[in-house]
Amino acid sequence: KQEVTQIPAALSVPEGENLVLNCSFTDSAIYNLQWFRQDPGKGLTSLLLIQSSQREQTSGRLNASLDKSSGRSTLYIAASQPGDSATYLCAVRTGNMLTFGGGTRLMVKP
Amino acid sequence: GAGVSQSPSNKVTEKGKDVELRCDPISGHTALYWYRQSLGQGLEFLIYFQGNSAPDKSGLPSDRFSAERTGGSVSTLTIQRTQQEDSAVYLCASSLWGRAAGNTIYFGEGSWLTVV
């Protein structure tokens, strides 16, 4: 059974810092890995999708990497802003199942 | 439509009543997923549909939960004889099928259910 873990569970940083969120998974036989953002009281917004054959994806200030063999992904956020405050979730797709980590709750202080 | 649409957005119901939650996926998306997120918890997989069929019902927490999808589009999740522990946000997602490796999954805003 696939298990996904995200560390840290919560993170508070001052505005402008670069930061890294970590995601690990137990079964490396994945199709893809997706990073989501969830704001309080809202649904999930897709940020980046990395296919199993890829090593990284970039979108603006966000960069996600994937090391499938070691079961790890990182989400790098450059020059963080208060508007980045949210919960960040990673999810891995194995077959027809999308398994989520518990999320990292990020607070960026002005 | 432009995105995954869910209704109602909020529902307060009395314990023991039945509720129906609706999901309208993105047009053309043949895969549809239901997840549940309890307060402060992670996402719990409930069920997924490929077209109108549900090959995987393993996540439904009890026989009070059922789901159907008609016409390969709209899906309803039904909870019978609701209990307080059913209180959660129910999230629906959809994606294209086929080349699974490249298919982004898109979520709706969720249906927030409170059982009192």
Side-chain angles (χ1 to χ4, degrees):
Chain A
K1 178 186 172 185
Q2 179 73 270
E3 293 182 1
V4 182
T5 303
Q6 289 187 246
I7 294 173
L11 182 62
S12 181
V13 300
E15 181 177 5
E17 271 202 12
N18 302 324
L19 53 99
V20 175
L21 308 181
N22 297 291
C23 172
S24 62
F25 47 95
T26 55
D27 183 355
S28 63
I30 66 171
Y31 285 153
N32 60 40
L33 183 146
Q34 199 165 344
W35 282 92
F36 294 88
R37 168 186 174 139
Q38 186 175 32
D39 293 281
K42 299 289 186 181
L44 277 68
T45 300
S46 179
L47 297 173
L48 289 165
L49 172 75
I50 311 177
Q51 298 183 25
S52 61
S53 58
Q54 297 177 322
R55 298 284 293 183
E56 66 178 337
Q57 282 287 334
T58 299
S59 176
R61 294 182 294 108
L62 304 179
N63 176 276
S65 67
L66 174 64
D67 184 344
K68 198 173 73 162
S69 61
S70 67
R72 297 180 187 217
S73 175
T74 61
L75 179 67
Y76 175 81
I77 303 176
S80 58
Q81 303 171 357
D84 295 331
S85 298
T87 297
Y88 291 80
L89 295 148
C90 72
V92 296
R93 189 161 187 172
T94 310
N96 299 313
M97 181 75 71
L98 192 66
T99 305
F100 283 84
T104 294
R105 193 169 61 255
L106 174 65
M107 173 71 70
V108 181
K109 296 174 288 187
Chain B
V4 179
S5 178
Q6 292 189 245
S7 62
S9 55
N10 284 284
K11 175 75 175 179
V12 180
T13 190
E14 292 181 351
K15 178 181 172 182
K17 296 284 177 98
D18 298 351
V19 296
E20 279 192 357
L21 308 176
R22 174 188 169 110
C23 174
D24 200 342
I26 293 172
S27 179
H29 281 191
T30 52
L32 186 148
Y33 300 80
W34 283 99
Y35 284 82
R36 177 169 74 172
Q37 187 177 34
S38 301
L39 187 63
Q41 302 297 312
L43 274 81
E44 175 189 5
F45 170 77
L46 297 179
I47 190 170
Y48 92 92
F49 289 89
Q50 179 182 347
N52 289 336
S53 65
D56 188 349
K57 300 181 181 181
S58 62
L60 293 176
S62 77
D63 59 7
R64 296 186 296 105
F65 288 73
S66 63
E68 65 175 15
R69 189 180 187 193
T70 55
S73 182
V74 172
S75 174
T76 55
L77 177 68
T78 302
I79 309 172
Q80 296 178 309
R81 304 181 303 281
T82 51
Q83 304 294 314
Q84 288 184 328
E85 61 262 28
D86 299 334
S87 297
V89 57
Y90 291 81
L91 292 161
C92 177
S94 72
S95 75
L96 294 169
W97 199 251
R99 291 175 59 84
N103 294 334
T104 300
I105 292 179
Y106 298 91
F107 278 81
E109 291 291 302
S111 289
W112 295 75
L113 175 66
T114 303
V115 181
V116 297

